[in-house]
Amino acid sequence: MRRVLGIETSCDETGIAVYDGERGLVAQAVYSQIEIHAQYGGVVPELASRDHVRKTLPLIRQVLEESGLDPASIDGVAYTAGPGLVGALLVGAALGRSLAWAWGVPAVGVHHMEGHLLAPLLEDPAPAFPFVALLVSGGHTQLVDVTGVGRYRILGESLDDAAGEAFDKTAKILDLPYPGGPELAKLAERGNPERFRFPRPMTDRPGLDFSFSGLKTFALNTVRETLPEALDPDQARADIARAFEEAVVDTLVIKCRRALQETGHRRLILAGGVSANRRLRERMNAAVTAAGGETFYPRPSLCTDNGAMIAYAGWQRLRAGHVEPLAFKPRARWPMEELTPA
C-alpha cells in the first residue's frame, strides 16, 4: 500500500489529499463553507451536505492534477466514516467507496478523531509512541493514552461542552462573527489579563475530565454585569475574552500535566482545531518543557478538518489489512475505544 486518497466531509469543510508512503503528503486541498453558514451563525447540516456534493469531485480532480497522478496511481481510498453530521458523512463515504470500487482498489472508513490524533505524525520530527494526546476541537475535548495506531485509552473527556464549542458560544455572547473561536482569540489579544478572573473548572479535584459549560455561563453573567455600565464596552469585551481564553488554556494545561504524570509518558501531542490557538501552544509548551517533556503539534493547516489526516490514517489502516466491504456504514457517533489496533 503506497498512495492513498483521503476524503474528509464530516462537517462543513471538504478536504481531499493524497498520501504517499514513500514521499509523504503529496497534495491536499480544503474548501471551507464558512461563508454559507455565517449568515445562520452555525453549521446547517442540510446545506453542508449539499455543498459537499458540489465540491468533492472537483477537489479530487484538482488534487490528482496537482500531484501529477491519475486514478491508476491510487492504491487505496480512505474516507471519514464518523463521527460527524450523518448527511455530510454519507456524501464522502458514498463517493469514496464508489471510487474505490470503480478503480479496483480497497477502501477504508476512518475515524475522524483518529485522523486528528495521527496528524502530528505527518510532521518532522514526528512523535514516537507512546504519548498522551489532547484532542481539542469544536465537538471533542479528550485526553488519550496512545501506545500505537488504534491502541487508545480515554483518560478524560468533557462532560458537557467541548472547549471549541465553549469558545464559539462565548463568542456569540460577545457578538463576534462566525466562526467565533478564532474571533474570540483575536479579540483576547488586546484584553487586560488582570481585569477579570474566571474559574478553572474541575482542576481542584482529582481526575482528567473537563467541563466548560459553567465557564460559558460565567462569561454570560460577566457580560450582563459589566457591559451596561462600561465606559469602554469594546475594551470590556476584549477583557472578558482574554479572561475566558486564559481560563480554558490554564484548565487544559493543568489537565495535560496531570495526564503526563499519571501515565509516565514524556511526550504530549495537541491536535484538533483549538490546538492552533497561539496562547494554548505557548503555555502548553512552557509547562511540558519545564516538566522535562516534549510537545508536538500539526501545522495550523492540519489542525482544522482536512483530507491529509484522513489519507494518512487510512494509509495506516489499509497497510494493516483493514478494508471496508461494499456495504459502508457512516456513524454520527463512534467511540474511539471501539477502534481495533492497526
Side-chain angles (χ1 to χ4, degrees):
M1 181 58 55
R2 181 176 173 184
R3 300 187 187 95
V4 174
L5 175 73
I7 302 173
E8 156 61 20
T9 62
S10 65
C11 191
D12 63 334
E13 287 166 318
T14 311
I16 307 295
V18 172
Y19 179 80
D20 187 314
E22 296 180 5
R23 298 166 54 196
L25 181 60
V26 178
Q28 68 161 331
V30 177
Y31 171 78
S32 175
Q33 302 176 3
I34 287 177
E35 291 185 8
I36 295 174
H37 303 287
Q39 59 184 309
Y40 303 101
V43 177
V44 181
E46 177 63 21
L47 295 180
S49 303
R50 290 174 182 236
D51 213 46
H52 285 311
V53 171
R54 287 190 288 266
K55 298 297 182 181
T56 308
L57 269 177
L59 282 180
I60 291 174
R61 295 190 187 102
Q62 175 186 329
V63 166
L64 288 177
E65 183 178 345
E66 290 177 359
S67 61
L69 300 173
D70 57 25
S73 305
I74 300 299
D75 302 307
V77 177
Y79 56 85
T80 304
L85 303 176
V86 70
L89 291 169
L90 275 168
V91 176
L95 180 58
R97 195 62 196 81
S98 299
L99 287 176
W101 179 81
W103 295 344
V105 299
V108 66
V110 171
H111 192 291
H112 179 75
M113 296 311 295
E114 180 174 54
H116 277 303
L117 187 152
L118 297 177
L121 276 66
L122 286 163
E123 306 296 354
D124 186 18
F129 299 111
F131 53 74
V132 170
L134 173 64
L135 304 179
V136 56
S137 66
H140 299 81
T141 301
Q142 294 179 319
L143 276 167
V144 188
D145 181 0
V146 182
T147 56
V149 177
R151 300 180 184 276
Y152 311 132
R153 179 170 64 94
I154 305 298
L155 301 170
E157 57 192 339
S158 180
L159 304 179
D160 40 58
D161 290 354
E165 183 180 3
F167 262 97
D168 290 339
K169 289 181 177 178
T170 303
K172 277 190 175 182
I173 293 170
L174 294 169
D175 293 323
L176 297 176
Y178 174 86
E183 293 294 330
L184 187 148
K186 188 187 304 181
L187 180 63
E189 289 293 330
R190 56 185 184 86
N192 177 2
E194 306 299 328
R195 182 172 180 182
F196 299 106
R197 169 76 181 182
F198 281 24
R200 275 59 173 163
M202 297 186 70
T203 58
D204 59 348
R205 66 189 77 175
L208 295 170
D209 287 329
F210 302 90
S211 173
F212 294 107
S213 180
L215 195 58
K216 173 197 63 185
T217 303
F218 195 94
L220 175 62
N221 291 335
T222 305
V223 167
R224 288 174 173 172
E225 294 168 3
T226 304
L227 290 190
E229 300 179 2
L231 296 177
D232 187 346
D234 289 340
Q235 185 59 48
R237 290 165 67 243
D239 295 342
I240 293 169
R242 179 63 178 268
F244 174 83
E245 184 183 54
E246 292 278 352
V248 172
V249 168
D250 278 355
T251 300
L252 294 173
V253 169
I254 290 168
K255 295 285 186 171
C256 284
R257 289 192 61 175
R258 191 177 295 175
L260 289 172
Q261 291 169 355
E262 290 189 11
T263 60
H265 299 332
R266 293 186 59 255
R267 289 175 288 274
L268 173 77
I269 72 161
L270 271 69
V274 181
S275 70
N277 181 280
R278 183 187 62 81
R279 201 177 310 279
L280 175 61
R281 289 193 176 207
E282 291 176 353
R283 197 77 58 80
M284 193 71 75
N285 186 60
V288 173
T289 301
E294 298 178 275
T295 53
F296 298 85
Y297 316 88
R299 71 199 76 164
S301 64
L302 298 185
C303 291
T304 54
D305 295 349
N306 63 87
M309 67 184 193
I310 302 304
Y312 179 71
W315 176 78
Q316 291 278 9
R317 291 283 173 182
L318 286 167
R319 71 173 185 153
H322 297 191
V323 178
E324 292 291 326
L326 283 174
F328 58 88
K329 183 183 178 182
R331 302 174 64 175
R333 298 183 181 276
W334 188 4
M336 278 188 68
E337 290 171 309
E338 294 182 4
L339 293 174
T340 56

